[in-house]
Amino acid sequence: MTIEAVLFDFSGTLFRLEQDETWLDHLTDAGGDPLDVEAQTELMRRMTAPVGQVVDLSAEHQHAWENRDLDPDLHRKVYLEVLRQSGVPQVEQAKALYDRLIDPSQWTPYPDTADVLKGCADRGLPVGVLSNIAFDIRPAFIERGLDAFVQEFVLSFEVAAIKPDLAIFRTALERLGASAERTLMVGDSAEADGAAVELGCAFALVEPSPTTERQDGLLAALRAHDVL
């Protein structure tokens, strides 16, 4: 197969939300005391963990969790509940922390992200970023000059579909003007991103490791498919 277009997932693939303990400096528990080290460690794990459910939720919040990437309001609602259950009972503190999570400038690109996106552009390959997400990630690319290498951003909350729903892949392919049989999907979830193979796409799996531990995962994935 000759690859003529590439789709990339965002979180855990091109960028990652990295741990930053400074976010927790002013957080207090229900009694007004600073969070202890153990509580801070667990909170950061829940904030930066891949997409698994980390707390038990009521039916109302379970609905919000399952639909969080379709609606920014539901996303905010359920993550504020997750933070409350994770030891941040003060609403204003939880809101400030949540705002960090959805701030694209807080996300870190993997070391080879720029080289991979530019490499695709140099070879005339159209690139799409396809993400289950409830906020606009374009500023993360614009801030680093990477938006010039991305033809389309297909975000779940904007197109009313979430991976592994094939509708979101079809939308991406249509916008790129690409055929599935000549498109490579790169992502960190075999279940969500890997669903692209049902349409005929090739698929490359990368590990959502910390950015300091995954130096050339994207380059290796594309080279394995003779893209770069």
Side-chain angles (χ1 to χ4, degrees), residues 112-129:
D112 55 350
T113 290
D115 288 342
V116 162
L117 294 179
K118 186 176 185 301
C120 289
D122 288 345
R123 287 159 180 76
L125 301 175
V127 166
V129 176

Side-chain angles (χ1 to χ4, degrees), residues 196-216:
V197 301
E198 296 182 37
L199 294 178
C201 296
F203 174 61
L205 181 68
V206 294
E207 291 297 323
S209 308
T211 57
T212 56
E213 297 176 12
R214 206 193 80 194
Q215 297 292 311
D216 59 358

Side-chain angles (χ1 to χ4, degrees), residues 20-88:
D20 187 343
E21 286 80 0
T22 64
W23 297 355
L24 312 181
D25 285 347
H26 305 294
L27 296 186
T28 56
D29 61 20
D33 295 320
L35 296 182
D36 61 30
V37 173
E38 182 178 348
Q40 289 192 17
T41 299
E42 176 59 16
L43 180 58
M44 289 305 305
R45 185 191 72 79
R46 294 182 180 190
M47 288 169 56
T48 59
V51 293
Q53 185 171 324
V54 292
V55 298
D56 292 328
L57 298 168
S58 66
E60 176 185 356
H61 285 100
Q62 188 65 42
H63 169 79
W65 177 265
E66 293 170 359
N67 293 277
R68 67 194 184 283
D69 289 327
L70 295 174
D71 185 328
D73 290 337
L74 292 179
H75 191 275
R76 182 179 182 83
K77 175 179 180 176
V78 75
Y79 272 100
L80 289 178
E81 173 64 12
V82 169
L83 290 172
R84 184 190 70 79
Q85 289 195 39
S86 301
V88 189

